[in-house]
Amino acid sequence: MSAVVAQPVAIFGCRSQVAGGLCFFDEQILLYAAGASCVQFHIEQKWQKFIPGSEKSQGMQALAISPNRRYLAVSETVAEQPSVTVYEVSVVPSRRRRTLATTELPVQEFVALAFSPDSRYLAAATAPPEVHLAYWLWEKQRLMAAIHIEAPGSGLCQVSFSPQDNAQVCVTGNGIFKLLKYSEGTLKTTNLQKGELQNYLCHAWLSAEKVVCGTDTGKLIIFESGEVRWETSVEHKIPPRELEEDATTKEPGSLTSFSAFDSSDISCDLVSDENGLQQDSLPQIYAVAAYSKGFACSSSPGVVLLFEKTEEKEVYKETQEIWIPRDFCNSESEQSGREDIICICFSPSEETMIVSTTKNQLYMFTMPSTEIVKEKTAHFVYLNFPLHSDSITGLDSCIRKPIVATCSLDRSVRIWNYKTNTLELYKQYQEEAYTVSLHPTGLFCLVGFSDKLRLMSLLYEDMHVFKEFAVRGCRECAYSNGGHLFAAVNGNVIHIYSTTTFENTNNLKGHSGKIRAVKWSADDAKLVSCDTHGAVYEWNLLTGKRESECVLRSCKYSSIALSPFARIIFAVGSDQTLKEISESSILHEVPAFDVVYTAVAVSHSGHMLFIGTSLGTIRTMRYPLPLPTEFNEYQAHAGPVTKMSVTDDDLFLLTASKDGSFLVWKVYDKEGQILKREKEVEYAEEVLIMRSDIEEKGQAMLDLQIRVKELQTENDYQLRLKDMNCNEKIKEIKEIFTQEIDCLKTKHEILQAEKEKQELQHQYQLFELMKKQAREVQDLESSNNQKLLMENEKYQELQVKSQRMQEEYEKQLHDLEESKSKALEELTEYYEEKLNEKTVLLEETEETIRQQLHIYEEIKKQIEEDEDREIQEIKIKYERRLQEEKESNLRLKGETGIMRKRFNSLQKDIEERNSEIEERKLEQQKLQGIITSLEKDILALKREIQERDDTIQDKEKRIYDVKKKNQELEKFKFVLDYKIKELKKQIQPRENDIMVMKEQIREMEAELERFHKQNAQLELNITELQQKLKATDREVHRERQKGQNMKALIKRFKTDLHNCVGFIQDSKKLKDRICELYTKYVHQTDTVETIELDTDLQQEHIRQREYLERNFATLKKKVVKESEIHRADYVRIMQENVSLIKEINELRRELKVTRTQVHDLQSTLGLTKKKQVIRDPAPSSELVSSPAVLRLNAEKEGEKIIEMQQLEIQRLRDQIQEKGQVLAIEPLSDGRLPMLNLEGSHRT
């Protein structure tokens, strides 16, 4: 055996789907199914004891406790065979009493069990649609009876005994309500189902004849002797308003901290199930349980209704609603979904009620002792702690605290204390949590969610998120042993982060599959990872590269573990082996014996190895592994083991499973001693708390102190008032009582007088009665004396008769003795003669034997002589043969080795054949059972055939009558056919007309469709043309505006120029004026703007050209017929372009004219020595105006004209560029005005 022993200490989980999964052993000990075991839980002291399931069990399906509370029946599936085991739980530890054989029944599993009232018989039922009911005398392992019940559909099934009759059994299910009676080795139905078939989800016995049933439509039905006596429908319940208001006023913070000593102090709100009300208008009654005053049933999600019997006959009334607490740690109640109560159990004294729900939670309610205390609505409390309701995906422990963190697909994160076996923190989130890792100090926690990786502080009463990392779908994360780094997995990449700076220090890439596990070495210098493509990599964190690798494509790894110095890697996966990997090679493979290993963990000492399997079992091994693999296997969970961890002191093993259960094990060595480390580590007691929380609590304490003082003063004042009121009331009551005492004294005197009178009357009556009695006694004595004399005479006569009878019997006895003595003498004579004859025969046989002996001795001597000779000859012969045999023996030894191998292989074949034969025998037995059931069905069918033959004869008579009627109807049919033919002849031409009209309608519809298409196309063309027209209108308006602006600018320029001409005699003033004109009408940015405008215009031209080309190509493909229209449009556009070119040429001419005019003006002013290019042209023929106008306008008028001219020049320049680009003509010269050489003019 292995030297490592593991003992379960506590389990946090519940399997609510087990039928009858809650049972009370006594007033304080509860039995329920958790993992692969049945747990004994003490409600007050909170300890747990385990009743493990059978070896190779696939989980418990049903539980039942006997009425005397001594025995527990468990239904399991062991090696694909149903098994029912009875345990004796009244002894410590519980021991297995009987295992009932089920090979006689063609069943796969039993889903319901029940004990008889005297605990001698056991009933078991399978699930619909084919319900098999077995009835055992379990102590003798004898199957008393079995019956097959056909159900119309699948669903739940329940079986129970009558509380006062061992032979009466009730079975309910989908379309099944059967009352069965056991008699003469068979189970017979005693009731007939009437009315519509219903889906009965549960039932309970109220008395010896009454059964209450709950249906999936919310009905409660009471049957008495199989007949319906009472029926009601349960309405959908909504939580009370007061409790809903409490739920709304409570803060939405979704975390709760639990005391390490008492979980009943948890303040919780009630379920608000508006969502469920929308989903299901009709409540489903999943559970019902009877108690002394009536019964309890679960109706709407999260509520139990108590019904009590009223004074009216056979009528039950609802008296109380008990609600389960809402998941107060969930910020959104809608995410929690339905939570149906599926099992109800009362304690033996009916003081406590326990329920289990579909979310694997256990709740408790203390029944009110009196009617005065009872409220209309009440609520449950958690039996111990809130448990995980879905698969646990993450588990981790720390060094400095005895805590362990778990996360689950139920979107919760929980912190447990494995020393005190309590839940310390619990928080619900909106996303699913995939992985969790605790910091070595136990003050921080990493949780990987579907959207992000969150780093949290574990506060005194909260989990505070203070950093989020953008790692989506993080399935694995792990803190380093020093806590300064942590690794987070994203698909096939491992991100390494610093705990202090939160920087991504390294990214480890190389895995091709999804990474399933990461482990740090003891010195945090290395990291080991495995993936689903069979790769195990060892990373060096200093370089960020792989140091070693081991790839096995045929295996999908699920978990790894490291030895203390990271020399050996232990890996498990889908190939059913445990691998020892070192230096990129597999050193050793340990087979799993047809089981998939799912998790592995190594102790910190390196001497113990723990492995979890897909069946939910735990295997413990000693390391180094012995050559013949030895291990201890323990039944742990009802689903595959997902995570395992060993605490830092190697004293506890922590396991989690897919069934949502979390198990704490204590580890021992072979001799039963607890494994101890060299140094005992003291756990830290400090906790984190937010400053705001401390301030809030300090403020709350101050408020409470003030409130206490106020209440004290109020109480003192109230006490004084009460004292005064009490004193006044005492005075009033004293006066009233003194008056009543006086009245009572007078009444007492009156009653005393009446009493004396009645005493005198009673004495007189008693004297008369004594006289009467004396007379009656004398009469009775005389009559009794006469009767005695008569009886004495009868006695004497009977005595004489008895003497006579005795004498006669003595004579008869004497005669019988004489006859017997004579018969004895005759028999002795007869047998003595026979003895003499036998002695003579014996003497004769002795003589013959002597003669034969003499003959035998002579023959013997002769044979001995012959044998000596033969022996000598044979000896010589066999010596030769011996020599030959020795030689052949050496030769045969080689052959025997070969034959032994053949023999071993044949023996294996024989064993396989034997196993096949046994399987065949089992199949034969099953088939034999099926044959017997089919024979019974055949008999029933024969009876049905007989009945149907009778019905067939009746129907044949009816058929004969119907045939006669048919003949008459055929005559009518002939007449009607003739009429129909004539009518068809009349209808045929009209049908031809209708066909012609239909064809015309089709043609017209086709024409309509064509017209619709043409109209749609024309509308599209019209819209395009309208858009083009609008665009051209906008361009015309823009051009007109530009022309007006240019005219105004030219006018302003003319006026300014006119003013300059006035200073033609004074050169300095003329120079200043011209400089002002230059600065006013010529800007430095004009050249740059022209270039920028040119580029913008080119881009706009390119964009418009591409748009037109795309439109042209699509239109050409879609509409070939309209090409002529496009050609016309193209010709029109070309004509417009020609007109635009003409306008551009005219503008060029105008530009030339304006240049010549400016040149003339410069020559008149004497400033034409050094010509410079002016940047902004002023193309206008109206620049030179009459001298009268120039003289009349002032300087302001000249400035306005120049501004208008500048605007007009800019507009025309832009227009020229646009037209030039459209017509693919080279852009015109910039046409800038020549720059004025003011310095040269000044010199002149």
Side-chain angles (χ1 to χ4, degrees):
M1 291 295 292
S2 175
V4 182
V5 178
Q7 180 183 352
V9 176
I11 188 168
F12 300 99
C14 175
R15 294 189 64 215
S16 57
Q17 65 269 25
V18 176
L22 293 177
C23 312
F24 269 97
F25 173 62
D26 59 19
E27 195 60 34
Q28 292 297 327
I29 296 176
L30 178 72
L31 296 169
Y32 64 91
S37 306
C38 182
V39 180
Q40 291 178 322
F41 177 73
H42 198 283
I43 295 172
E44 287 187 355
Q45 299 176 6
K46 307 298 182 185
W47 53 255
Q48 293 181 356
K49 292 182 180 178
F50 293 83
I51 302 172
S54 303
E55 190 177 352
K56 296 183 180 179
S57 172
Q58 297 175 7
M60 297 178 181
Q61 278 83 33
L63 298 178
I65 195 164
S66 61
N68 60 9
R69 312 285 174 182
R70 288 187 60 192
Y71 305 107
L72 177 72
V74 179
S75 170
E76 299 173 290
T77 303
V78 181
E80 298 182 357
Q81 289 294 326
S83 172
V84 178
T85 309
V86 180
Y87 295 89
E88 187 173 359
V89 292
S90 59
V91 297
V92 180
S94 302
R95 62 189 180 90
R96 187 176 298 181
R97 278 290 299 269
R98 295 284 185 275
T99 300
L100 306 180
T102 57
T103 54
E104 301 175 11
L105 300 170
V107 298
Q108 293 182 350
E109 61 179 7
F110 290 106
V111 297
L113 299 173
F115 276 99
S116 62
D118 61 356
S119 306
R120 293 181 61 214
Y121 296 95
L122 182 68
T126 62
E130 293 188 359
V131 179
H132 291 271
L133 180 66
Y135 184 87
W136 275 292
L137 180 64
W138 66 268
E139 287 186 346
K140 295 184 179 179
Q141 298 179 334
R142 186 189 304 166
L143 182 64
M144 306 296 288
I147 189 171
H148 173 67
I149 303 168
E150 290 186 0
S154 60
L156 300 174
C157 180
Q158 187 179 352
V159 62
S160 64
F161 277 90
S162 170
Q164 297 178 8
D165 190 356
N166 288 340
Q168 192 167 12
V169 182
C170 178
V171 182
T172 57
N174 190 354
I176 301 172
F177 177 75
K178 294 280 186 182
L179 291 174
L180 304 169
K181 191 85 172 178
Y182 174 73
S183 63
E184 298 177 357
T186 58
L187 288 165
K188 297 178 181 178
T189 306
T190 60
N191 69 316
L192 295 172
Q193 291 186 0
K194 296 179 181 179
E196 295 181 2
L197 296 175
Q198 298 195 39
N199 186 3
Y200 297 101
L201 300 177
C202 56
H203 75 267
W205 288 85
L206 299 176
S207 63
E209 295 181 351
K210 290 183 183 178
V211 182
V212 60
C213 295
T215 68
D216 61 347
T217 57
K219 288 184 179 180
L220 284 170
I221 306 168
I222 293 180
F223 295 91
E224 186 173 2
S225 301
E227 299 292 330
V228 177
R229 295 297 181 196
W230 181 77
E231 183 176 347
T232 186
S233 293
V234 179
E235 296 179 355
H236 193 96
K237 300 290 180 181
I238 299 173
R241 290 182 182 177
E242 295 83 7
L243 296 169
E244 283 186 347
E245 287 171 4
D246 292 342
T248 55
T249 56
K250 188 171 180 179
E251 293 181 0
S254 60
L255 180 134
T256 302
S257 175
F258 294 90
S259 171
F261 302 101
D262 188 10
S263 64
S264 63
D265 296 334
I266 299 167
S267 63
C268 48
D269 302 329
L270 297 186
V271 173
S272 173
D273 200 7
E274 296 174 359
N275 208 11
L277 184 63
Q278 293 174 359
Q279 291 175 358
D280 293 320
S281 59
L282 292 174
Q284 295 183 343
I285 299 173
Y286 283 104
V288 65
Y291 68 110
S292 58
K293 294 181 181 179
F295 62 90
C297 72
S298 66
S299 61
S300 304
V303 67
V304 171
L305 306 178
L306 295 182
F307 285 84
E308 293 185 2
K309 196 170 184 180
T310 59
E311 295 177 357
E312 298 178 17
K313 190 178 180 182
E314 296 179 353
V315 175
Y316 289 83
K317 184 181 178 182
E318 182 189 331
T319 58
Q320 195 173 16
E321 297 176 6
I322 308 165
W323 293 87
I324 67 172
R326 188 183 62 179
D327 193 357
F328 53 85
C329 294
N330 192 351
S331 58
E332 294 184 8
S333 60
E334 292 159 357
Q335 289 182 359
S336 59
R338 287 177 66 104
E339 188 170 8
D340 293 311
I341 294 169
I342 57 175
C343 187
I344 303 173
C345 182
F346 286 97
S347 63
S349 64
E350 297 179 355
E351 292 181 358
T352 308
M353 177 170 60
I354 306 290
V355 300
S356 64
T357 68
T358 51
K359 288 193 173 183
N360 298 333
Q361 303 296 326
L362 295 173
Y363 300 99
M364 180 177 70
F365 177 72
T366 303
M367 300 289 286
S369 57
T370 58
E371 293 292 330
I372 299 167
V373 183
K374 186 183 287 186
E375 299 176 354
K376 177 63 179 174
T377 58
H379 59 274
F380 290 95
V381 295
Y382 283 103
L383 177 65
N384 195 6
F385 303 110
L387 306 171
H388 282 297
S389 59
D390 208 337
S391 173
I392 297 174
T393 55
L395 180 145
D396 193 24
S397 61
C398 66
I399 298 171
R400 295 290 294 135
K401 288 188 177 183
I403 60 173
V404 58
T406 59
C407 64
S408 171
L409 294 179
D410 61 5
R411 302 177 180 178
S412 69
V413 179
R414 299 166 201 251
I415 307 297
W416 309 85
N417 191 316
Y418 57 80
K419 285 282 187 182
T420 58
N421 296 326
T422 55
L423 178 64
E424 292 195 348
L425 286 176
Y426 162 38
K427 192 164 186 179
Q428 198 82 13
Y429 295 91
Q430 296 180 3
E431 298 87 16
E432 292 180 346
Y434 296 133
T435 182
V436 66
S437 179
L438 277 175
H439 194 269
T441 60
L443 300 175
F444 306 101
C445 178
L446 268 175
V447 183
F449 293 96
S450 57
D451 59 344
K452 289 180 182 178
L453 176 70
R454 292 180 172 90
L455 181 60
M456 306 178 187
S457 296
L458 301 182
L459 306 180
Y460 178 62
E461 291 180 343
D462 193 5
M463 295 183 190
H464 176 65
V465 178
F466 69 90
K467 184 66 178 175
E468 293 183 346
F469 301 93
V471 182
R472 293 181 62 84
C474 179
R475 297 280 178 174
E476 286 293 329
C477 66
Y479 269 108
S480 63
N481 294 310
H484 61 291
L485 298 172
F486 66 85
V489 173
N490 184 9
N492 56 2
V493 180
I494 304 170
H495 303 283
I496 307 297
Y497 290 90
S498 172
T499 309
T500 54
T501 62
F502 306 122
E503 293 180 355
N504 187 1
T505 59
N506 211 338
N507 291 324
L508 307 179
K509 299 179 181 179
H511 282 281
S512 59
K514 291 185 178 180
I515 299 168
R516 289 302 181 200
V518 291
K519 293 291 178 184
W520 292 84
S521 62
D523 57 357
D524 294 336
K526 296 179 182 179
L527 186 75
V528 180
S529 59
C530 67
D531 64 12
T532 56
H533 288 181
V536 176
Y537 294 155
E538 185 176 350
W539 306 86
N540 189 329
L541 295 180
L542 296 175
T543 60
K545 295 181 180 180
R546 285 182 296 201
E547 280 196 350
S548 64
E549 62 182 36
C550 179
V551 181
L552 185 65
R553 295 291 182 186
S554 61
C555 177
K556 294 181 180 180
Y557 288 112
S558 58
S559 179
I560 56 173
L562 294 179
S563 62
F565 299 104
R567 292 174 183 170
I568 295 173
I569 304 167
F570 299 94
V572 295
S574 60
D575 62 348
Q576 301 182 0
T577 58
L578 168 68
K579 297 178 179 61
E580 285 186 70
I581 301 170
S582 179
E583 297 178 356
S584 304
S585 61
I586 298 171
L587 301 179
H588 188 200
E589 288 190 7
V590 180
F593 304 106
D594 297 329
V595 176
V596 176
Y597 286 148
T598 57
V600 64
V602 179
S603 65
H604 294 83
S605 63
H607 299 305
M608 295 180 290
L609 193 63
F610 305 96
I611 305 169
T613 68
S614 59
L615 299 178
T617 59
I618 303 296
R619 293 181 178 180
T620 62
M621 301 179 186
R622 174 67 73 180
Y623 188 80
L625 300 170
L627 289 175
T629 307
E630 294 181 359
F631 56 84
N632 284 339
E633 188 165 11
Y634 301 96
Q635 298 293 322
H637 301 279
V641 178
T642 54
K643 296 291 179 182
M644 296 178 70
S645 178
V646 181
T647 59
D648 190 61
D649 54 5
D650 287 347
L651 296 180
F652 294 95
L653 171 68
L654 312 170
T655 61
S657 172
K658 201 172 183 179
D659 64 355
S661 61
F662 165 59
L663 194 54
V664 180
W665 305 76
K666 190 167 280 187
V667 180
Y668 298 87
D669 64 2
K670 190 174 183 181
E671 286 75 23
Q673 298 294 324
I674 298 174
L675 297 168
K676 293 184 179 180
R677 300 190 73 179
E678 295 177 359
K679 294 181 181 180
E680 292 292 334
V681 178
E682 293 184 1
Y683 291 114
E685 295 294 333
E686 65 269 10
V687 293
L688 296 176
I689 189 165
M690 300 286 286
R691 188 183 296 277
S692 59
D693 294 342
I694 294 171
E695 291 173 355
E696 286 176 4
K697 288 191 176 181
Q699 188 63 39
M701 286 172 71
L702 291 171
D703 295 340
L704 290 170
Q705 286 174 0
I706 294 164
R707 181 64 178 159
V708 166
K709 289 178 182 178
E710 291 175 356
L711 288 171
Q712 282 177 354
T713 54
E714 286 180 5
N715 287 332
D716 293 337
Y717 178 68
Q718 292 292 333
L719 283 169
R720 288 174 189 171
L721 289 174
K722 284 181 181 178
D723 289 337
M724 293 169 67
N725 291 326
C726 288
N727 290 327
E728 289 176 359
K729 285 181 181 179
I730 286 164
K731 288 178 183 178
E732 291 174 358
I733 291 164
K734 193 175 182 181
E735 291 174 358
I736 291 164
F737 276 117
T738 51
Q739 291 174 3
E740 287 179 356
I741 286 163
D742 295 335
C743 293
L744 288 168
K745 281 180 180 178
T746 55
K747 286 181 181 179
H748 180 68
E749 290 173 356
I750 294 164
L751 290 168
Q752 191 73 25
E754 289 179 356
K755 182 188 172 187
E756 290 174 355
K757 288 179 184 178
Q758 287 179 359
E759 280 180 353
L760 292 169
Q761 289 177 1
H762 284 306
Q763 285 176 0
Y764 177 72
Q765 288 175 0
L766 194 117
F767 180 71
E768 288 183 349
L769 285 168
M770 291 288 284
K771 281 183 180 180
K772 190 176 181 181
Q773 188 181 6
R775 287 187 207 124
E776 288 177 355
V777 167
Q778 286 177 0
D779 294 336
L780 284 168
E781 281 180 356
S782 61
S783 64
N784 284 331
N785 287 329
Q786 289 176 2
K787 286 179 180 178
L788 279 167
L789 290 169
M790 294 286 288
E791 291 295 329
N792 194 8
E793 288 175 358
K794 286 180 181 178
Y795 175 71
Q796 287 176 358
E797 289 176 359
L798 288 168
Q799 197 170 7
V800 172
K801 283 183 181 179
S802 66
Q803 285 176 359
R804 289 175 188 168
M805 293 285 286
Q806 193 171 0
E807 289 174 357
E808 289 177 358
Y809 281 124
E810 283 176 354
K811 286 179 183 178
Q812 287 178 2
L813 281 168
H814 184 69
D815 295 337
L816 285 168
E817 285 177 355
E818 287 179 353
S819 64
K820 282 183 179 178
S821 62
K822 287 178 182 178
L824 272 169
E825 287 175 357
E826 290 175 357
L827 285 168
T828 50
E829 288 176 358
Y830 175 72
Y831 281 111
E832 281 176 356
E833 289 177 358
K834 278 193 172 184
L835 263 172
N836 293 326
E837 291 176 359
K838 294 291 180 184
T839 50
V840 172
L841 284 168
L842 272 169
E843 289 174 355
E844 291 176 355
T845 52
E846 283 176 355
E847 287 178 0
T848 53
I849 285 164
R850 287 192 200 104
Q851 292 174 2
Q852 286 177 359
L853 279 170
H854 182 68
I855 295 163
Y856 173 73
E857 286 175 355
E858 290 179 354
I859 292 167
K860 186 179 176 183
K861 287 178 183 178
Q862 292 176 1
I863 289 167
E864 283 176 354
E865 292 173 355
D866 295 335
E867 287 294 326
D868 290 335
R869 285 196 303 272
E870 288 178 0
I871 284 164
Q872 191 66 29
E873 292 173 357
I874 289 165
K875 188 177 181 182
I876 295 162
K877 183 179 178 182
Y878 278 104
E879 281 177 354
R880 292 175 189 166
R881 282 191 184 179
L882 183 65
Q883 190 66 28
E884 292 173 358
E885 290 293 330
K886 281 180 181 179
E887 293 173 357
S888 64
N889 198 14
L890 294 170
R891 189 174 61 256
L892 290 169
K893 277 182 182 179
E895 293 178 359
T896 49
I898 297 162
M899 295 300 288
R900 274 179 191 169
K901 291 179 182 177
R902 289 183 183 175
F903 175 73
N904 290 328
S905 62
L906 289 169
Q907 199 166 5
K908 287 179 183 177
D909 294 337
I910 289 161
E911 288 174 357
E912 290 175 358
R913 298 287 180 182
N914 289 332
S915 62
E916 287 179 2
I917 288 161
E918 288 176 358
E919 290 175 359
R920 299 291 182 191
K921 284 180 180 177
L922 291 171
E923 288 178 0
Q924 188 179 357
Q925 289 175 358
K926 290 179 183 177
L927 292 169
Q928 195 66 34
I930 294 164
I931 288 161
T932 52
S933 62
L934 289 171
E935 285 175 353
K936 291 177 183 176
D937 294 340
I938 287 162
L939 292 171
L941 289 167
K942 283 181 178 177
R943 289 174 193 160
E944 287 182 3
I945 288 162
Q946 187 65 33
E947 292 174 357
R948 289 182 181 180
D949 287 337
D950 298 335
T951 54
I952 285 163
Q953 290 177 359
D954 296 334
K955 287 181 179 178
E956 282 179 351
K957 290 178 183 177
R958 290 180 187 174
I959 288 162
Y960 180 71
D961 297 334
V962 170
K963 281 182 179 178
K964 286 184 178 178
K965 289 181 182 179
N966 260 343
Q967 288 176 359
E968 294 175 358
L969 290 168
E970 281 177 357
K971 293 176 183 177
F972 287 117
K973 184 185 175 184
F974 180 74
V975 175
L976 291 170
D977 286 338
Y978 181 72
K979 289 181 179 179
I980 288 162
K981 286 177 183 177
E982 290 181 349
L983 290 168
K984 280 183 178 179
K985 287 177 182 177
Q986 294 175 3
I987 290 163
Q988 193 169 5
R990 292 182 182 178
E991 285 181 350
N992 293 330
D993 295 337
I994 288 163
M995 291 294 288
V996 172
M997 296 296 286
K998 282 182 179 177
E999 289 177 358
Q1000 289 177 359
I1001 288 162
R1002 287 195 198 97
E1003 291 174 355
M1004 291 170 76
E1005 285 177 352
E1007 287 180 359
L1008 266 174
E1009 286 179 0
R1010 284 198 301 277
F1011 284 132
H1012 280 308
K1013 289 178 181 177
Q1014 289 176 359
N1015 286 332
Q1017 189 64 39
L1018 290 169
E1019 284 175 359
L1020 287 170
N1021 293 333
I1022 287 162
T1023 52
E1024 287 178 0
L1025 293 169
Q1026 284 175 352
Q1027 288 174 358
K1028 287 179 181 178
L1029 185 64
K1030 286 178 182 178
T1032 51
D1033 288 338
R1034 287 195 206 100
E1035 287 178 0
V1036 169
H1037 181 70
R1038 205 182 299 118
E1039 292 292 332
R1040 284 175 182 170
Q1041 189 67 34
K1042 286 180 181 179
Q1044 290 174 1
N1045 294 334
M1046 184 59 71
K1047 284 177 182 177
L1049 183 65
I1050 290 164
K1051 284 179 182 179
R1052 284 197 300 274
F1053 185 74
K1054 282 179 180 180
T1055 54
D1056 290 341
L1057 196 63
H1058 174 71
N1059 293 329
C1060 287
V1061 171
F1063 297 102
I1064 198 165
Q1065 299 298 326
D1066 192 353
S1067 62
K1068 287 183 180 179
K1069 288 183 180 179
L1070 184 64
K1071 182 181 176 182
D1072 294 335
R1073 288 286 182 177
I1074 289 168
C1075 289
E1076 287 176 3
L1077 284 173
Y1078 179 76
T1079 54
K1080 189 174 182 180
Y1081 291 103
V1082 180
H1083 300 285
Q1084 295 294 327
T1085 57
D1086 286 345
T1087 56
V1088 179
E1089 287 176 358
T1090 53
I1091 294 165
E1092 290 176 356
L1093 289 169
D1094 292 342
T1095 55
D1096 292 338
L1097 287 169
Q1098 285 177 0
Q1099 289 176 359
E1100 183 66 19
H1101 168 67
I1102 291 163
R1103 188 179 64 78
Q1104 288 181 357
R1105 186 174 180 179
E1106 287 175 355
Y1107 174 75
L1108 290 169
E1109 284 176 356
R1110 284 198 298 272
N1111 286 339
F1112 182 78
T1114 52
L1115 290 168
K1116 191 174 181 180
K1117 288 178 183 177
K1118 288 181 181 178
V1119 188
V1120 179
K1121 294 180 181 180
E1122 294 180 358
S1123 60
E1124 294 177 359
I1125 297 165
H1126 286 291
R1127 288 194 196 96
D1129 290 334
Y1130 184 77
V1131 170
R1132 183 175 55 77
I1133 289 163
M1134 289 297 292
Q1135 289 174 356
E1136 289 176 357
N1137 287 335
V1138 169
S1139 64
L1140 289 170
I1141 290 164
K1142 288 178 180 179
E1143 287 178 4
I1144 289 162
N1145 291 327
E1146 289 174 359
L1147 288 168
R1148 283 179 180 172
R1149 292 190 197 98
E1150 287 176 0
L1151 276 170
K1152 287 179 181 179
V1153 170
T1154 52
R1155 284 177 184 171
T1156 54
Q1157 288 175 356
V1158 170
H1159 187 269
D1160 294 335
L1161 286 169
Q1162 287 176 353
S1163 62
T1164 56
L1165 292 170
L1167 300 171
T1168 56
K1169 288 183 179 180
K1170 292 182 180 179
K1171 292 181 181 180
Q1172 295 179 353
V1173 180
I1174 299 170
R1175 293 182 183 179
D1176 290 333
S1180 176
S1181 61
E1182 297 174 3
L1183 185 64
V1184 179
S1185 59
S1186 62
V1189 175
L1190 290 170
R1191 291 191 189 102
L1192 289 170
N1193 290 328
E1195 291 181 0
K1196 291 181 179 179
E1197 189 177 356
E1199 288 175 0
K1200 288 180 182 179
I1201 291 165
I1202 289 165
E1203 287 176 0
M1204 290 172 68
Q1205 286 176 349
Q1206 282 182 345
L1207 292 170
E1208 186 67 15
I1209 289 162
Q1210 186 66 32
R1211 186 184 65 77
L1212 290 170
R1213 191 181 293 158
D1214 295 339
Q1215 192 175 0
I1216 288 162
Q1217 291 292 333
E1218 288 176 2
K1219 300 297 181 182
Q1221 287 177 358
V1222 170
L1223 298 169
I1225 299 169
E1226 287 294 323
L1228 296 168
S1229 62
D1230 53 0
R1232 289 175 291 183
L1233 290 171
M1235 297 291 288
L1236 293 172
N1237 193 350
L1238 297 176
E1239 293 178 357
S1241 64
H1242 182 66
R1243 286 171 188 170
T1244 56

